Amino acid sequence: MNANSLVSIADLSKEEILHILEQARYFEENPNHKILDGKVVATLFFEPSTRTRLSFETAANRLGARVIGFSDASTTSSSKGETLKDTIIMVSNYVDLIIMRHYLEGAALYATEVTETPIINAGDGSNQHPSQTMLDLYSIYKTQGHLDNLTITMVGDLKYGRTVHSLLMAMRFFNPTFNFVACNELRMPDEYMEFCDRHGIKYNVSTDFSPEIINTSDIIYMTRVQRERFTDIMEYERVKDLYSLNNAMLSDSRDNLKILHPLPRVNEIAYDVDDNPKAYYFQQAQNGLYARQALICNALGIDILKTQKD
Ligand code: CP
């Protein structure tokens, strides 16, 4: 296993997280650095993506790397029965870094066990999405000025939403208070509440997206109900429209409140929120580019801040 791989956000210390955020800020201010000339990056997406794949590929391009890969596994030899192991070993022969998304939880960890090429997990099933978390942290830091002592309300699909699982774990260093707002079917899994208990993280569980919760939040993190994870489509139909945020609901919210969403959205944020200055989800996605430039460098053992000092 390559020590620079990023499989879970839990792999990163507080110092490492803060250092990556500093590098993201550097890349926001200095976007084009051809420091990866001659390197090849693979993006292997076994699940659909817009933001993650395109921002990783743009990040690699801005750093001067070449990108190969696929966005539709049905066009690859995995459709002929090639295993994930063989695919990873083969691609490792060609590239310096593999960025992969897979529908199976643990797929990225498994990939690190069959290759010495660094792996970045771009989402594995309902488990983890660590690069999303870095852009979420960067967005929170930019909008709040710090990461400490914030009240963060997570709403929607807390069962299958890998972004909320990763973000919750990363926030353990910053003394947050969480509100977990979801219906019983999609409540935050016990293992993550136990994680909060172990790390002394305060949290409230509610099925009601109440004015009191909205008006005491610094961050509201809306999520899509993940239709692709349901085995029973009738259950999806029952729960898909339970939580939706509209502009009127924000009338008494805190001045510093920002609305985040990993996107794509379906109907959990009404379009009338988009023009509210508290809506931040499109800028959040843009921040992904800078965070992912930092993560690619990190995975290749390059510290852009140190490089600039030398
Ligand atoms: N947030 C996110 O992972 O978006 P994509 O599925 O479009 O990559």
Side-chain angles (χ1 to χ4, degrees):
M1 174 171 176
N2 189 302
N4 290 331
S5 291
L6 178 60
V7 170
S8 165
I9 199 71
D11 299 341
L12 297 176
S13 67
K14 181 177 183 179
E15 290 67 32
E16 286 169 326
I17 287 175
L18 294 175
H19 193 57
I20 291 167
L21 296 182
E22 261 187 73
Q23 292 177 72
R25 182 164 54 185
Y26 178 86
F27 282 120
E28 181 167 6
E29 291 162 3
N30 306 275
N32 289 304
H33 268 283
K34 305 295 181 194
I35 49 176
L36 299 187
D37 189 29
K39 302 279 187 201
V40 182
V41 172
T43 54
L44 311 185
F45 278 66
F46 294 85
E47 262 197 343
S49 167
T50 298
R51 278 145 293 275
T52 309
R53 186 175 65 83
L54 295 181
S55 62
F56 262 124
E57 292 186 356
T58 306
N61 279 306
R62 284 191 172 186
L63 293 167
R66 300 284 180 98
V67 179
I68 64 165
F70 55 81
S71 57
D72 178 0
S74 70
T75 65
T76 73
S77 289
S78 63
S79 68
K80 303 175 197 163
E82 185 162 52
T83 62
L84 179 61
K85 177 180 179 181
D86 288 1
T87 303
I88 295 295
I89 290 171
M90 282 308 307
V91 176
S92 295
N93 290 332
Y94 309 141
V95 303
D96 302 285
L97 168 65
I98 295 174
I99 298 163
M100 63 175 281
R101 170 172 289 188
H102 202 282
Y103 48 87
L104 288 178
E105 296 184 16
L109 178 62
Y110 177 70
T112 65
E113 289 166 1
V114 300
T115 182
E116 278 303 312
T117 301
I119 302 279
I120 296 180
N121 179 7
D124 61 325
S126 302
N127 185 33
Q128 282 275 313
H129 196 345
S131 69
Q132 175 72 41
T133 297
M134 291 311 303
L135 75 93
D136 291 343
L137 293 175
Y138 188 50
S139 299
I140 294 169
Y141 183 79
K142 276 176 69 177
T143 59
Q144 306 296 318
H146 58 90
L147 293 169
D148 299 298
N149 307 318
L150 296 168
T151 298
I152 299 178
T153 296
M154 296 175 163
V155 185
D157 188 345
L158 307 187
K159 178 179 179 183
Y160 297 118
R162 56 194 172 202
T163 66
V164 291
H165 301 158
S166 291
L167 180 58
L168 177 157
M169 294 175 97
M171 287 303 297
R172 72 190 184 281
F173 298 122
F174 306 107
N175 191 38
T177 301
F178 285 115
N179 296 309
F180 299 139
V181 178
C183 61
N184 286 327
E185 291 88 338
L186 298 179
R187 67 182 175 277
M188 185 63 81
D190 288 345
E191 66 186 278
Y192 293 103
M193 293 202 271
E194 286 161 15
F195 180 93
C196 289
D197 292 336
R198 278 202 306 282
H199 290 86
I201 298 172
K202 301 177 282 300
Y203 62 91
N204 309 299
V205 177
S206 176
T207 54
D208 184 15
F209 192 22
S210 66
E212 191 197 340
I213 287 177
I214 292 171
N215 297 339
T216 55
S217 296
D218 300 306
I219 297 290
I220 295 178
Y221 196 100
M222 299 298 295
T223 63
R224 174 180 68 92
V225 176
Q226 311 248 311
R227 185 181 53 185
E228 64 274 28
R229 311 275 178 230
F230 282 75
T231 48
D232 177 355
I233 199 66
M234 294 306 289
E235 184 176 330
Y236 169 74
E237 290 295 329
R238 265 199 311 279
V239 299
K240 70 184 170 73
D241 293 324
L242 291 179
Y243 299 99
S244 180
L245 182 67
N246 63 52
N247 216 14
M249 294 163 75
L250 298 171
S251 57
D252 294 321
S253 59
R254 289 181 173 171
D255 291 343
N256 65 310
L257 172 71
K258 288 291 181 246
I259 315 298
L260 302 187
H261 190 310
L263 303 177
R265 80 172 139 181
V266 181
N267 53 9
E268 54 281 349
I269 301 180
Y271 289 107
D272 68 0
V273 179
D274 292 359
D275 294 327
N276 189 316
K278 294 176 182 176
Y280 195 73
Y281 27 92
F282 293 120
Q283 297 98 314
Q284 177 188 1
Q286 184 180 8
N287 290 334
L289 179 52
Y290 318 126
R292 288 178 171 126
Q293 281 182 280
L295 287 171
I296 289 172
C297 287
N298 205 54
L300 291 169
I302 296 168
D303 183 335
I304 188 68
L305 300 177
K306 191 165 179 298
T307 309
Q308 293 309 300
K309 270 191 215 141
D310 291 345

